[in-house]
Amino acid sequence: MSPECFTASIYKLWATLTKQLQNMTLSREVRRLENNWNNGQFPKHLEYLELTNLRGWAGQRIEFKFPIVAIVGENGMGKSTIIQSAAAIYKPPTGDIGFFASSFFPDTAWEELSGVEIKASVKEGTSSRIISVRKPTTRWRGIESRRERAVRFLDLKRILPIYSKTGYSRLAKRQYTEASATTFDSANLIRLSSIVGKSYTLAKQSTTSADANRKIPVLQTDGTEYSGFHQGAGETTITELLSLDIPNNSIVLIDEIETSLHPRAQRRLIRDLAEISRLKHVQFILTTHSPYILDELPIFARIQILNDLGNKRVVHGVSSEFALSRMDEENYPEIDIYVEDSSAKILVEEIIARTDLSLLSRVQIIPYGAANVGKSLGLMNHQNRFPKPTIVLLDGDQDSSDGCLVLPGSDAPERIIYEDLNQIGFPNVSTIISRSHSDLVNHCQSAMGLPDHHDWNKSVADNIVCGGNELWRALCRSWVENVYQPDQTNFLVVALRDKLQ
């Protein structure tokens, strides 16, 4: 085995172990659910959807690889369309609630749908069936071919406070009394208390003597009852969710699950749903903008919808940092790379960019200073003490150390790059920085006579009147393009890609 292959194999093994350690950070509830899933204990499962000519979808496949899947993306990317389509693909059991594509996707004064198809792979037992609900011209077809399954659809972002709902404000009068109530059983009361983080002694959905149809949530804590007119938005959201009847083997679709919930409550809610999923073999498909929701799920249970030059792109297995970076102006790196100084930082950027430019937006490169600091960081990395995937790089003039990779060459980056480029005439550098080629070469050769290699770049930059970082990046780029062999970059890029899996 070549040294390069051996190095790649070692870091693939390292990445696998790191991934296993990351999975250990999943909650007990999600790990137990994963065990059941891996043992094939879910008799019904929506495996994938393909949507065509529907709100910008053009046949892309969305796969659901876990009993709970979270879909993330910017507003307008089609997350709600996915869960509406999932609701429309099933036929309700007799007497149960049904959902239809014509209700979710109607013709209006502004739109007339045609050539639309919602295609799905539906697993039942050990076999899978392809289902197609479509609207080739004016009518929806395939409705009768749908498979039977209970569906629950909940759009949490549209749950209004009680006082904002039509017809409820008139009920907020002392003259009315409680007419009836459906009380939460002890299991649901415990779930409510656990998710919200308060100790409730009573929870119920009540009606008043003024209206037998409009239900009002009522909670009790510390001996005091209070209605939905005085509850927080998060309490109302969770009460509404827990009031939902969830049959065995059903599919539950929840839009914007994090609505009105603080981070801790979001995490507790996913753990609660994991228990429901495990015990009742229920499939959940969620939409979210929250990293806390994503972090609670295995990486293969996360889907991001991206805008790719006006087209929708489905990315399975995203990290929460990557998801955030694609929904925000700020970058949320998934991997930290520690290097000795700013010169090493620029060199690493050019090495990565030469092989896979897209990786640069997913990493944060941090100079650490002296080599002994890097070795200390490497030891921490070796002991898995960093909160996120980490790579520590030492300059080429350093010996290998636990938890560290070593930059190419057997000397400091400045010496390696200047000496290698000097042998081939510093190609393309003058063009990149718009300076005289002969002046550049003369000043580079002169600087190489200085005893301290850290002074070389500054000397050349001062003499040709160029920014030091601008010159160094041009030198690194030339070196990567003209000297560095493609297979030599693999040790770093392979390590990055494995950590991003």
Side-chain angles (χ1 to χ4, degrees):
M1 181 182 292
S2 69
E4 291 85 359
C5 291
F6 179 75
T7 303
S9 298
I10 289 295
Y11 279 94
K12 283 183 178 179
L13 176 60
W14 184 22
T16 300
L17 292 173
T18 301
K19 184 175 180 181
Q20 290 173 351
L21 287 167
Q22 289 172 339
N23 285 342
M24 288 174 63
T25 65
L26 293 173
S27 68
R28 181 178 66 92
E29 293 83 357
V30 173
R31 294 199 307 272
R32 293 174 70 186
L33 172 61
E34 187 173 7
N35 288 336
N36 279 31
W37 170 250
N38 291 336
N39 291 331
Q41 297 183 20
F42 283 75
K44 292 189 176 184
H45 189 75
L46 174 59
E47 296 178 307
Y48 68 76
L49 286 171
E50 291 177 0
L51 312 180
T52 303
N53 288 337
L54 186 60
R55 296 178 183 169
W57 288 94
Q60 300 91 331
R61 178 174 291 189
I62 309 101
E63 298 182 58
F64 308 106
K65 302 179 180 180
F66 195 62
I68 305 178
V69 166
I71 305 170
V72 65
E74 294 179 324
N75 294 329
M77 286 310 302
K79 302 185 299 297
S80 297
T81 304
I82 293 172
I83 61 173
Q84 290 167 347
S85 297
I89 207 72
Y90 283 107
K91 177 171 64 177
T94 302
D96 201 6
I97 305 167
F99 298 92
F100 297 91
S102 57
S103 300
F104 289 123
F105 314 115
D107 289 338
T108 72
W110 302 273
E111 303 96 359
E112 184 177 4
L113 304 184
S114 63
V116 173
E117 183 180 25
I118 303 171
K119 183 178 177 181
S121 176
V122 173
K123 181 183 176 183
E124 295 178 339
T126 58
S127 62
S128 297
R129 297 172 179 263
I130 301 299
I131 305 297
S132 175
V133 174
R134 58 207 176 276
K135 186 171 184 279
T137 53
T138 59
R139 296 178 58 191
W140 284 94
R141 309 284 185 180
I143 305 298
E144 296 307 316
S145 68
R146 298 182 302 168
R147 304 298 296 175
E148 186 175 290
R149 190 181 189 186
V151 176
R152 297 294 181 264
F153 188 98
L154 190 59
D155 188 347
L156 292 182
K157 68 178 180 293
R158 290 186 169 87
I159 294 178
L160 297 173
I162 288 291
Y163 50 78
S164 299
K165 292 184 176 181
T166 302
Y168 275 81
S169 59
R170 65 182 181 84
L171 305 181
K173 292 180 172 58
R174 190 63 181 167
Q175 68 196 66
Y176 300 131
T177 59
E178 182 179 88
S180 66
T182 302
T183 304
F184 278 26
D185 60 23
S186 59
N188 275 339
L189 191 62
I190 291 171
R191 291 173 63 199
L192 175 65
S193 299
S194 174
I195 295 168
V196 179
K198 294 173 65 175
S199 180
Y200 296 99
T201 52
L202 176 72
K204 57 186 177 180
Q205 293 279 11
S206 300
T207 61
T208 68
S209 55
D211 193 324
N213 297 315
R214 288 183 166 86
K215 295 181 179 180
I216 299 172
V218 178
L219 302 174
Q220 184 183 76
T221 184
D222 296 327
T224 302
E225 281 191 357
Y226 55 103
S227 71
F229 292 101
H230 297 279
Q231 290 170 14
E235 289 178 314
T236 301
T237 297
I238 295 301
T239 303
E240 185 90 11
L241 177 57
L242 297 187
S243 298
L244 194 66
D245 171 47
I246 301 179
N248 291 345
N249 303 317
S250 60
I251 183 170
V252 179
L253 311 159
I254 306 177
D255 210 0
E256 298 202 6
I257 190 169
E258 74 275 12
T259 301
S260 301
L261 301 179
H262 59 78
R264 189 177 293 117
Q266 294 177 37
R267 293 185 184 278
R268 290 168 175 164
L269 176 56
I270 295 300
R271 296 170 189 183
D272 178 83
L273 297 185
E275 278 293 277
I276 297 299
S277 178
R278 181 178 67 86
L279 296 172
K280 292 189 169 187
H281 302 152
V282 174
Q283 181 176 6
F284 289 91
I285 302 177
L286 321 171
T287 73
T288 186
H289 296 107
S290 170
Y292 308 105
I293 297 296
L294 297 180
D295 282 341
E296 284 296 309
L297 295 171
I299 194 165
F300 50 84
R302 310 169 191 169
I303 302 171
Q304 182 152 25
I305 314 301
L306 299 175
N307 181 356
D308 186 4
L309 300 177
N311 299 312
K312 298 183 191 298
R313 183 156 64 94
V314 181
V315 182
H316 297 86
V318 297
S319 69
S320 57
E321 292 87 355
F322 178 75
L324 280 177
S325 68
R326 298 306 296 260
M327 295 189 293
D328 197 349
E329 298 297 333
E330 298 296 324
N331 185 38
Y332 294 84
E334 300 166 73
I335 295 180
D336 287 339
I337 302 178
Y338 289 93
V339 297
E340 185 169 313
D341 53 25
S342 59
S343 294
K345 178 179 184 293
I346 291 172
L347 174 58
V348 168
E349 288 173 347
E350 292 302 319
I351 289 175
I352 295 172
R354 177 65 174 169
T355 304
D356 190 344
L357 182 61
S358 66
L359 288 177
L360 275 182
S361 64
R362 306 176 71 177
V363 304
Q364 175 178 226
I365 304 176
I366 308 163
Y368 53 73
N372 66 303
V373 176
K375 292 179 180 180
S376 296
L377 292 171
L379 183 59
M380 293 174 62
N381 195 29
H382 181 68
Q383 296 170 345
N384 297 297
R385 289 162 56 190
F386 287 109
K388 68 166 64 171
T390 298
I391 291 174
V392 181
L393 292 168
L394 300 175
D395 280 358
D397 57 352
Q398 298 295 317
D399 295 330
S400 60
S401 184
D402 286 344
C404 298
L405 294 173
V406 180
L407 284 173
S410 56
D411 211 332
E414 293 89 346
R415 289 190 179 277
I416 293 294
I417 288 176
Y418 270 85
E419 290 170 1
D420 284 350
L421 290 181
N422 186 46
Q423 294 180 22
I424 57 175
F426 295 92
N428 306 325
V429 178
S430 60
T431 301
I432 296 173
I433 62 175
S434 301
R435 293 294 186 270
S436 163
H437 179 69
S438 59
D439 285 348
L440 170 74
V441 173
N442 288 337
H443 288 299
C444 284
Q445 292 174 342
S446 176
M448 290 169 66
L450 298 173
D452 188 347
H453 60 270
H454 294 104
D455 296 333
W456 293 3
N457 211 57
K458 183 178 185 306
S459 174
V460 178
D462 288 347
N463 279 292
I464 64 173
V465 192
C466 175
N469 284 342
E470 180 185 3
L471 170 64
W472 178 244
R473 187 175 294 280
L475 291 166
C476 291
R477 188 168 300 168
S478 175
W479 183 79
V480 169
E481 292 176 353
N482 297 289
V483 178
Y484 206 16
Q485 298 301 313
D487 60 346
Q488 288 178 291
T489 65
N490 286 349
F491 84 96
L492 177 56
V493 174
V494 164
L496 283 172
R497 287 174 175 163
D498 285 344
K499 285 180 175 291
L500 290 168
Q501 289 180 356

